[in-house]
Amino acid sequence: MGFFGFLLLGLLAGAIAKLILPGKQGGGWLITLLLGVVGALLGGFLGGLLFNAPLEDFFSIQTWLLAIGGSIIVLLIYGLIVGRRSAR
């Protein structure tokens, strides 16, 4: 998968993760989409490391699930960090 395919996958995975997570995460859509790209990278890395998952195919359900899962993890961590900062 090329750079632009990875970028598109991350942007869409971030949007889907935002829709899946309940409540208000804050940060707006731009931050969410950027965190989605980071989450797709994290999901791909963990999937390759833990499950030896091939991630070359853009239309593979495995690739999408790993990217969305990674995006959810990154959004949750971001929510914890921002939530602590705003609670002070």
Side-chain angles (χ1 to χ4, degrees), residues 39-85:
L41 179 64
L42 175 69
F45 174 74
L46 290 177
L49 186 69
L50 298 175
F51 307 117
N52 199 21
L55 303 171
E56 293 84 24
D57 191 16
F58 181 80
F59 294 105
S60 170
I61 189 72
Q62 185 178 21
T63 302
W64 280 90
L65 290 176
L66 287 171
I68 293 169
S71 296
I72 289 174
I73 291 170
V74 170
L75 282 174
L76 286 173
I77 292 170
Y78 176 77
L80 289 174
I81 292 170
V82 171
R84 286 187 186 159
R85 191 179 300 161

